[in-house]
Amino acid sequence: MRGALVRGMRGMRRVRDTPGARAESGARAASGARAGAGVRDASEGGVKRHRPWLRLRLPRLSALRLPRSRRGRRLAVQGVMALCVLALLPATWMRMGSDARVGTTADAPAREVAMVFGAGLWKGRPTPYLAHRLDAAAELYRTGKVKVVLVTGDNSRVEYDEPDAMRTYLTERGVPDDRIVSDYAGFDSWDSCVRARKIFGVDRAVLVSQGFHIHRATTLCRSAGIDAYGVAVDEPRDATWYYGGTRELAASGKAALDALFRPDPRFLGPQEAGVTEALASATP
């Protein structure tokens, strides 16, 4: 009896040691590991299961077909043209309304205040486009066309301070520090124009910016109550220039709404006497 039992156990051992048995055992182990991983993922809120019903069905391009009839194609073309006209209408309105009030530094009339809009910083210094705006403002000051420069830009973060960087750049080019006034809440063109009028009391100014932006800035400042003349800083037609021109198409839509509804700036705050005091110091 004992001998038969020993022989039976040896047979079972031989069966388990065969390649088929080992493969089956490995499959069971892998299945158990996957099941265990699934339990762990479930406990951590990360079950990774194949759920066909969670798939997002995206529309196929083949489903977007042009109209087959001639009338349908004509209506589609007319619809596209109408959208293009609507997109270009605000920019066209701003350009036509400000063309007579935009020129060069040599064309600019005498005003007490020049207003420079921020255009970004690079490693704490003005970007080339902003530097060119500041160069034009410094020229207006040196030629006696303006007495004070109002620099308006973004200082919404401690590590990002456009007005102070603009002030430093101007003083390095001969503009006295007491003739520079900083607006730290010029978050966009409309905010800068409204704050210049309501907070700093500016009613006449020469605006300085690139050609693709100066028409919008001039229109907005006039809508805010400022008798504005725009100086268009000349730039080479590089990738940045074309990007700025394309961006103006989108920005002009918002600008048209700002000019129509005249919302308050993101931050208005109390009135400041910076421009008045700077003009007083400039009077002989």
Side-chain angles (χ1 to χ4, degrees):
M1 179 69 177
R2 183 178 178 181
L5 183 60
V6 170
R7 286 193 299 272
M9 292 177 65
R10 289 175 179 172
M12 291 175 63
R13 203 158 41 236
R14 283 196 297 271
V15 171
R16 283 198 300 268
D17 288 341
T18 61
R22 285 198 298 270
E24 183 179 354
S25 177
R28 285 198 300 270
S31 177
R34 286 195 296 270
V39 172
R40 286 194 300 273
D41 287 343
S43 64
E44 297 170 1
V47 178
K48 299 178 181 179
R49 296 180 180 175
H50 180 67
R51 295 180 178 178
W53 50 273
L54 286 178
R55 290 180 179 176
L56 296 176
R57 295 186 176 273
L58 299 177
R60 296 181 179 179
L61 293 179
S62 59
L64 304 176
R65 298 176 179 176
L66 292 175
R68 295 183 178 180
S69 66
R70 181 177 300 178
R71 182 173 181 275
R73 287 194 295 269
R74 185 170 61 250
L75 290 175
V77 171
Q78 290 174 350
V80 171
M81 292 177 63
L83 290 176
C84 292
V85 170
L86 289 175
L88 294 173
L89 190 60
T92 304
W93 165 65
M94 290 183 186
R95 189 170 189 94
M96 293 179 62
S98 60
D99 251 348
R101 290 176 169 265
V102 172
T104 64
T105 53
D107 301 326
R111 294 280 192 272
E112 291 184 331
V113 179
M115 187 172 166
V116 185
F117 297 85
L121 302 178
W122 174 253
K123 296 182 179 180
R125 297 282 296 175
T127 60
Y129 269 46
L130 179 53
H132 297 164
R133 297 181 186 185
L134 296 168
D135 289 337
E139 181 182 347
L140 290 170
Y141 179 82
R142 284 194 300 268
T143 57
K145 291 195 171 183
V146 301
K147 299 177 181 179
V148 173
V149 180
L150 173 62
V151 291
T152 173
D154 187 354
N155 182 216
S156 57
R157 308 186 305 275
V158 175
E159 69 277 6
Y160 189 85
D161 191 341
E162 278 187 329
D164 277 357
M166 296 161 76
R167 175 186 291 271
T168 300
Y169 188 94
L170 286 172
T171 56
E172 292 172 350
R173 280 145 187 84
V175 182
D177 186 73
D178 62 352
R179 304 292 176 85
I180 304 170
V181 180
S182 299
D183 176 11
Y184 295 95
F187 300 128
D188 61 22
S189 299
W190 175 251
D191 285 11
S192 294
C193 292
V194 174
R195 285 179 54 80
R197 182 70 184 93
K198 292 186 176 181
I199 303 303
F200 295 95
V202 176
D203 54 10
R204 301 176 77 219
V206 176
L207 314 181
V208 184
S209 188
Q210 270 71 30
F212 55 75
H213 171 246
I214 194 62
H215 293 275
R216 176 163 63 94
T218 302
T219 301
L220 288 176
C221 280
R222 292 182 65 196
S223 298
I226 298 176
D227 180 6
Y229 184 91
V231 168
V233 179
D234 193 23
E235 295 286 351
R237 300 299 192 262
D238 55 8
T240 304
W241 190 91
Y242 284 110
Y243 167 77
T246 304
R247 181 179 177 274
E248 280 301 302
L249 294 178
S252 60
K254 176 185 179 301
L257 294 176
D258 288 337
L260 179 62
F261 295 104
R262 303 187 180 188
D264 284 335
R266 194 184 317 176
F267 178 79
L268 191 59
Q271 292 185 348
E272 298 184 22
V275 171
T276 303
E277 293 172 356
L279 289 173
S281 68
T283 303

